Amino acid sequence: MNYSIILYILGHILELEAVFMLLPCITALFYQETAGLAFLITALLCLVIGFPLTRKKPKKKAFYAKEGMVTVSFCWIALSMIGAVPFVICGAIPNPIDAFFEIVSGFTTTGSSILSDPSLMPHCVNMWRCFSHWIGGMGILVFVLALMPMTGGYHMNLMKAESPGPSVGRLLPKVQGTAKVLYQIYLVLTAALVLLLLLGRMSLFEALCTAFGTAGTGGFGVKADSLGGYSTYIQVVVTIFMILFGVNFNVYFLLLTRKFRQALKFEELRYYLFVILGAAALITWDIRGLYENVFRALQQSFFQVGSIITTTGFSTADFNQWPTVSKTILVMLMFIGACAGSTGGGIKVSRFLILGKSARKELVLYLHPNAVKKVKMDGKPIAHDVIRATNVYITFYILVFSVSLLLISFDGYDLVTNFTAVAATINNIGPGLELVGATGNYSIFSGFSKLVLSFDMLAGRLEMFPLLLLFARDTWKKF
């Protein structure tokens, strides 16, 4: 294990977190809030720890997949632990476990909160909560790769360990170039959303917070009713952008390079849009009697479907009160998730496609044992290691989900609350049903359960393997 390079990258992450904390500091200065001192103190702490780690470049440059997984896990854990410190110092969330849960939910773009009314928090605290979504949406290490001219051939191992989806490829010959392109697209889409929200007469503070939550598909709001109190225009704009941020960013790159046919060939994109349209249509029909007209029902349906499938977690209605059919569809969407290579969470549409195609292949082989059939996507054969990794991922996913459900059940809450709480955290969604629904929060759980759910959020964002490998003996074994 190359510990020197791991500590070197960790140092850069802490230095970058110190820079990120300037935004809540500026917000506190603008609103004249003393809570901003907590962020300034924490930023200095980041520099005190991070600066010595980056002064000496490691001599050993070898950096393999194992180091990539461990680095990503350590960086996300350290980022969250330090990111929770301002909440405790300023007294906004005095309980360290609650503070850790809240910021893990932010960085992993989950949006599950222990706060009943975020509007009671200082502006700088809400800015940090929402900005953490934007930081974690594309990935903190992807951001580092975009800025730092790293050498040694380990770029791809970091990107693969952090990027969501069954496989990761380069958009450009150099990984640093790929990271820059991804963040340029991310920035442009975020800026466009902020502008449109300002046109809808949102304040700059609320527009930034909402845009950060939408871009990172996170869902932290600054009001108790999430986006329920905003105009239909605001809700429609956010709906469109939630769906856009749930699309594989490779599609946008192909569109920018005028490879329109290649962009439209993405099977995952077609199925992603098909699921959204189908789910919204079914829910609209099911809830049509709850609203004044079918158009209002359609708008509310599309918002909630877009919010859940992209794992954003914003809400405009208490869908706990919707009929059982609609709630069942929303729970199913929690597991499907967005596209690979997007800022969304969940299992991913592409994995379901791979599993479906693999199952169909096995059925054909039962009928025709001598047949030669390859699993294809976008007209190309899927590599065996991708299929194997997908099957292993689902196995670990079910295992972590089941154990987490068992562990939090000792708190004594009902099965629907517990099941959807785990589903909402491991899929990085935010709200569940019953006690953790759109009008509820996660403060009801014990400290132990919050730590379990925090682990689920990290495991879901990092897609199991990086975090689980920390517990494997061979990870630390010298060969």
Side-chain angles (χ1 to χ4, degrees):
M1 182 70 71
N2 189 349
Y3 293 104
S4 59
I5 196 74
I6 293 172
L7 291 173
Y8 180 71
I9 296 173
L10 181 59
H12 279 293
I13 292 296
L14 293 177
E15 288 177 345
L16 196 58
E17 186 168 20
V19 175
F20 286 146
M21 286 194 179
L22 290 177
L23 182 58
C25 286
I26 293 169
T27 305
L29 192 64
F30 182 82
Y31 287 100
Q32 299 181 345
E33 296 171 338
T34 56
L37 289 172
F39 292 95
L40 186 60
I41 293 169
T42 309
L44 292 173
L45 177 64
C46 288
L47 293 175
V48 168
I49 300 172
F51 189 76
L53 296 177
T54 58
R55 287 316 86 203
K56 187 178 179 181
K57 290 187 178 181
K59 294 179 181 179
K60 190 179 178 183
K61 296 292 185 180
F63 195 89
Y64 304 107
K66 180 172 68 173
E67 281 89 356
M69 296 287 187
V70 171
T71 300
V72 166
S73 295
F74 279 172
C75 286
W76 277 78
I77 292 170
L79 193 74
S80 300
M81 291 178 69
I82 297 294
V85 171
F87 295 156
V88 179
I89 293 178
C90 73
I93 307 176
N95 186 308
I97 293 178
D98 285 352
F100 181 72
F101 178 92
E102 192 77 11
I103 201 62
V104 167
S105 181
F107 283 127
T108 59
T109 72
T110 303
S112 300
S113 180
I114 54 92
L115 301 175
S116 57
D117 189 358
S119 65
L120 300 177
M121 294 291 106
H123 290 82
C124 60
V125 169
N126 273 327
M127 179 60 76
W128 180 237
R129 289 171 69 243
C130 297
F131 188 44
S132 65
H133 282 330
W134 194 87
I135 296 168
M138 188 60 67
I140 183 66
L141 285 165
V142 173
F143 191 81
V144 169
L145 290 174
L147 294 178
M148 292 171 54
M150 293 184 174
T151 58
Y154 51 79
H155 306 72
M156 207 61 195
N157 288 325
L158 285 175
M159 187 171 279
K160 283 181 178 179
E162 188 178 49
S163 299
S167 62
V168 176
R170 302 181 186 187
L171 302 178
L172 295 172
K174 292 184 178 181
V175 175
Q176 188 183 19
T178 299
K180 284 182 178 179
V181 167
L182 289 173
Y183 258 97
Q184 285 169 2
I185 296 170
Y186 195 42
L187 280 166
V188 169
L189 285 174
T190 304
L193 176 56
V194 171
L195 180 60
L196 289 171
L197 293 176
L198 290 173
L199 291 175
R201 297 183 179 180
M202 249 190 177
S203 68
L204 179 60
F205 171 77
E206 291 180 357
L208 285 172
C209 289
T210 304
F212 290 150
T214 306
T217 59
F220 273 155
V222 294
K223 293 186 177 181
D225 63 351
S226 189
L227 298 187
Y230 291 105
S231 66
T232 301
Y233 166 81
I234 295 291
Q235 293 177 8
V236 169
V237 168
V238 171
T239 302
I240 293 169
F241 274 84
M242 284 191 297
I243 294 171
L244 289 176
F245 280 106
V247 172
N248 191 322
F249 274 52
N250 286 3
V251 174
Y252 298 129
F253 177 77
L254 292 171
L255 291 174
L256 286 172
T257 53
R258 298 183 180 181
K259 297 177 182 177
F260 302 114
R261 288 184 180 179
Q262 198 173 338
L264 295 174
K265 282 183 180 179
F266 272 75
E267 276 188 70
E268 184 183 36
L269 176 61
R270 295 200 300 270
Y271 278 94
Y272 168 70
L273 295 175
F274 173 78
V275 170
I276 290 174
L277 291 171
L282 287 172
I283 291 177
T284 300
W285 178 260
D286 195 42
I287 65 171
R288 67 192 187 283
L290 301 178
Y291 294 91
E292 58 270 21
N293 56 62
V294 71
F295 297 107
R296 182 63 175 167
L298 181 66
Q299 185 261 317
Q300 290 294 307
S301 173
F302 260 105
F303 183 96
Q304 221 51 68
V305 167
S307 179
I308 296 298
I309 196 171
T310 62
T311 71
T312 305
F314 283 135
S315 61
T316 55
D318 183 7
F319 48 83
N320 244 338
Q321 306 303 318
W322 284 4
T324 302
V325 171
S326 296
K327 290 190 289 187
T328 302
I329 292 172
L330 291 178
V331 171
M332 292 172 69
L333 294 177
M334 287 182 182
F335 292 95
I336 294 173
C339 298
S342 70
T343 61
I347 293 175
K348 304 292 184 300
V349 175
S350 57
R351 282 200 178 96
F352 278 101
L353 283 174
I354 291 171
L355 290 170
K357 289 171 181 284
S358 299
R360 186 173 62 185
K361 173 190 171 183
E362 292 302 317
L363 288 174
V364 171
L365 290 176
Y366 272 113
L367 298 173
H368 309 284
N370 296 323
V372 178
K373 188 173 179 63
K374 292 184 177 181
V375 179
K376 294 183 178 181
M377 186 177 289
D378 303 326
K380 301 175 183 177
I382 301 174
H384 176 70
D385 61 336
V386 174
I387 297 174
R388 184 194 63 198
T390 300
N391 293 331
V392 174
Y393 171 84
I394 295 298
T395 302
F396 278 119
Y397 180 96
I398 294 171
L399 178 63
V400 173
F401 191 102
S402 303
V403 172
S404 299
L405 182 59
L406 175 64
L407 291 175
I408 72 167
S409 67
F410 287 102
D411 280 2
Y413 298 110
D414 64 277
L415 181 59
V416 174
T417 295
N418 292 336
F419 183 89
T420 56
V422 175
T425 50
I426 201 170
N427 292 312
N428 305 132
I429 294 164
L433 295 175
E434 298 299 338
L435 298 178
V436 291
T439 58
N441 61 71
Y442 288 73
S443 62
I444 60 171
F445 289 107
S446 65
F448 173 75
S449 292
K450 286 171 186 169
L451 290 176
V452 171
L453 295 174
S454 296
F455 176 87
D456 289 344
M457 288 188 277
L458 285 167
R461 174 59 182 84
L462 301 181
E463 307 224 311
M464 303 297 162
F465 299 117
L467 208 59
L468 294 179
L469 281 175
L470 295 180
F471 301 95
R473 187 189 304 173
D474 287 348
T475 302
W476 312 104
K477 197 174 181 181
K478 291 184 178 180
F479 293 99

